[in-house]
Amino acid sequence: MAMSQAATEAAPNDLRVLDTRHHFHPFTDHGALNAKGGPRVIVRAEGVHLWDSDGRRLIDAMAGLWCVNVGYGRRELAEAAARQMEELPYYNTFFQTTHPPAAELGRVLAEVTPPGFAHVFFTNSGSEANDTVIRMVRRYFDLLGQPERSVILSRDNAYHGSTMGSASLGGLKTMHGQGGLPIPGIEHVMEPYWYKLGGDETPEEFGLTAARAVEERILALGPERVAAFIAEPIQGAGGVIVPPDTYWPEVARICREHGVLLVADEVICGFGRTGPWFGTEYYGLDPDLMPIAKGLSSGYLPIGGVMVHDRIAEVLVGRGGEFFHGFTYSGHPVACAVALENIRILREERIVERCAEHTVPYFQAKVRALADHPLVGEVRGAGMLATLQLAEDPETRKRFEPEGDVGALCRDRCFANGLVMRSVAESMVLSPPLVITRSEIDEVVEKARRSLDETLDTIARPGGLAGATSAGSG
Ligand code: PXG
């Protein structure tokens, strides 16, 4: 007690000290964080730029955490929140009650999502949306008199959230190693990550191999036991893994043939990230459930949901009786009002369409030009998602060992150069706001190239990598 008081007195206004003392952060190694003197402090943002507490300007090529699709500083969103706070700051949507923002947002979501999604179940996050998926899928088959159809298939290296259910759906072994996950009834199959797993197969051949891994598992378990397959159209947090073109048509066929529901996790891909409004439209998929979050409110307030296709709603909503599920803040009026305003902005300014037409080709061309860098083995991407896959030997796809150090070093060089990029192992990820301009894309790419050069310089020096990185997720 005396010690912490002394430290508080020593630095009463140092947010880093306060934060280090009191804040237990998500996905952060606090030992490493303390060693470097505490976290960076972001104090302000406008458009695609952030400012830290030292007054440094950073360009945010990650749209926060893949979510600030309309960019920072949209006053209309703040005003929508303030208006709703004055009118009705809270009321619940349980027990036969609603309020105008929830009812209105349901209607608007039915308009902007692909045909057939007339119903939404509201949550506060993507994790809650995916937990809701588990309960919905199992309830659906119970109602159909097939309670044994309860297994949900997912993929290695998938990210679907951090709650017990959604982390179980996820395929991250590091997460499963903490707290006894996955929960029963969830199985993982190979991800369609050609660069890492494709061996001697062409991407097209490997796409079919990865799809057939889904079918093999369904057959091994017995199709009568398999309820659903969940996947992101394009894996985001796994490292922007764009499946080969052969993958999705085959997976869709397999699910249809075996009566397995298709759950498309649109938490990152939704609301324009891949080009069209939804990632399922990018691939022409016809999913049964679509968890959404992030871009729904452009991250201005927490809100998520599960879009339920009519053929599922007919059972779950139409004749299912009471679904014993919900959150105090399901359909929170202020979050709904902000999501409504966000979608109004996206529609009225045609942000998704203009981005797909004008920004995506420029962004993809500029980022792909980094493929000539000696550290870059492959550039992948679609829409406003892209990644630079770093490699020790781009010719042979030889990866750096141990995985992650070079990516973390490059991520640190990006920060030093005023660029926010995420490193996922050796994938340097880009997911900027959809409103980024061409000159801002030039700024991102120029800073990325400089950061790659500096990374290469460091690792080329004898003993250069040792001690050069700040460990941990980034
Ligand atoms: N599904 C997908 C596809 C996601 O990317 C979630 C569900 C969970 O959403 P919530 O709102 O509960 O976080 C996500 C979240 C990263 C990173 O570093 C990615 C996410 C969250 C935090 C960090 O790439 N994705």
Side-chain angles (χ1 to χ4, degrees):
M1 189 63 193
M3 223 178 75
S4 77
Q5 237 167 26
T8 307
E9 279 156 22
N13 296 318
D14 189 337
L15 291 170
R16 285 190 189 83
V17 173
L18 296 180
D19 192 273
T20 302
R21 191 171 301 146
H22 300 295
H23 187 173
F24 186 178
H25 287 253
F27 283 90
T28 296
D29 176 341
H30 281 260
L33 181 63
N34 293 345
K36 71 175 217 195
R40 67 187 74 88
V41 183
I42 302 298
V43 294
R44 189 165 73 79
E46 183 67 36
V48 300
H49 288 100
L50 308 167
W51 280 263
D52 71 12
S53 53
D54 298 326
R56 268 169 29 93
R57 193 181 83 140
L58 299 145
I59 189 161
D60 183 9
M62 278 306 298
L65 281 177
W66 324 74
C67 54
V68 188
N69 290 8
V70 298
Y72 298 95
R74 289 298 304 234
R75 179 174 292 272
E76 304 94 313
L77 296 177
E79 288 169 353
R83 273 198 309 276
Q84 187 57 45
M85 284 224 177
E86 285 175 4
E87 185 75 22
L88 180 73
Y90 175 73
Y91 204 71
N92 70 73
T93 55
F94 283 43
F95 317 137
Q96 310 191 359
T97 306
T98 195
H99 45 65
E104 182 66 10
L105 183 56
R107 178 181 70 83
V108 168
L109 283 170
E111 287 173 7
V112 299
T113 51
F117 285 96
H119 286 84
V120 59
F121 191 102
F122 286 118
T123 68
N124 305 289
S125 67
S127 298
E128 286 180 1
N130 282 321
D131 274 31
T132 300
V133 160
I134 299 174
R135 302 207 62 211
M136 278 186 182
V137 159
R138 291 182 174 165
R139 174 82 184 135
Y140 173 78
F141 284 111
D142 277 352
L143 286 164
L144 290 185
Q146 301 172 47
E148 68 290 350
R149 240 196 214 268
S150 64
V151 176
I152 301 178
L153 295 187
S154 179
R155 305 184 294 188
D156 299 332
N157 195 38
Y159 189 78
H160 295 295
S162 267
T163 52
M164 291 293 280
S166 61
S168 296
L169 289 176
L172 296 180
K173 297 279 178 294
T174 46
M175 292 181 81
H176 292 173
Q178 297 181 342
L181 301 180
I183 59 171
I186 293 176
E187 299 256 338
H188 298 86
V189 299
M190 175 202 277
E191 59 179 329
Y193 192 174
W194 174 79
Y195 196 87
K196 185 170 179 177
L197 306 171
D200 294 331
E201 290 186 309
T202 63
E204 290 69 30
E205 288 166 350
F206 177 70
L208 293 177
T209 301
R212 295 204 176 122
V214 178
E215 185 158 45
E216 280 158 25
R217 188 67 63 87
I218 292 172
L219 294 173
L221 288 161
E224 71 289 351
R225 292 186 54 214
V226 182
F229 173 71
I230 182 168
E232 291 176 83
I234 294 172
Q235 273 162 271
V240 183
I241 296 158
V242 185
D245 289 344
T246 47
Y247 181 74
W248 270 121
E250 184 66 0
V251 169
R253 175 196 69 76
I254 290 163
C255 288
R256 233 184 356 260
E257 211 164 292
H258 296 290
V260 170
L261 300 183
L262 178 59
V263 183
D265 183 335
E266 292 272 8
V267 168
I268 284 179
C269 293
F271 300 93
R273 180 56 55 199
T274 66
W277 274 75
F278 290 89
T280 41
E281 295 167 310
Y282 184 82
Y283 286 112
L285 300 173
D286 179 24
D288 297 288
L289 298 172
M290 291 199 320
I292 55 175
K294 295 193 189 274
L296 168 56
S297 64
S298 284
Y300 279 57
L301 278 182
I303 181 166
V306 181
M307 300 303 304
V308 184
H309 195 279
D310 295 349
R311 54 185 174 257
I312 308 300
E314 184 255 318
V315 176
L316 272 183
V317 187
R319 52 191 164 95
E322 185 167 345
F323 184 37
F324 299 112
H325 183 77
F327 308 99
T328 301
Y329 303 124
S330 285
H332 190 285
V334 183
C336 287
V338 168
L340 273 169
E341 187 63 10
N342 176 59
I343 296 174
R344 186 195 65 74
I345 289 172
L346 288 173
R347 292 170 107 181
E348 284 187 12
E349 298 180 14
R350 300 188 66 252
I351 287 175
V352 175
E353 294 78 9
R354 285 195 299 133
C355 178
E357 200 176 322
H358 300 291
T359 314
V360 165
Y362 190 81
F363 173 71
Q364 289 292 335
K366 282 284 170 175
V367 174
R368 278 166 206 273
L370 292 167
D372 68 355
H373 195 280
L375 263 186
V376 175
E378 177 183 68
V379 181
R380 298 185 292 273
M384 296 304 281
L385 281 172
T387 194
L388 315 172
Q389 172 83 52
L390 308 184
E392 185 167 353
D393 182 357
E395 289 295 308
T396 59
R397 311 201 322 255
K398 181 172 187 297
R399 291 176 301 121
F400 287 106
E401 303 277 350
E403 204 174 41
D405 287 357
V406 178
L409 171 61
C410 186
R411 183 259 336 265
D412 289 352
R413 294 318 310 153
C414 289
F415 270 111
N417 288 317
L419 166 66
V420 182
M421 246 168 123
R422 174 95 166 71
S423 66
V424 179
E426 309 297 9
S427 296
M428 299 306 300
V429 171
L430 294 142
S431 171
L434 307 186
V435 295
I436 192 169
T437 63
R438 289 183 172 202
S439 64
E440 288 163 344
I441 291 171
D442 293 345
E443 181 185 341
V444 167
V445 170
E446 184 262 315
K447 287 180 168 164
R449 187 177 284 281
R450 192 186 324 153
S451 306
L452 289 167
D453 286 345
E454 291 170 2
T455 305
L456 188 59
D457 283 353
T458 304
I459 60 178
R461 282 201 298 271
L465 190 56
T469 68
S470 64
S473 303

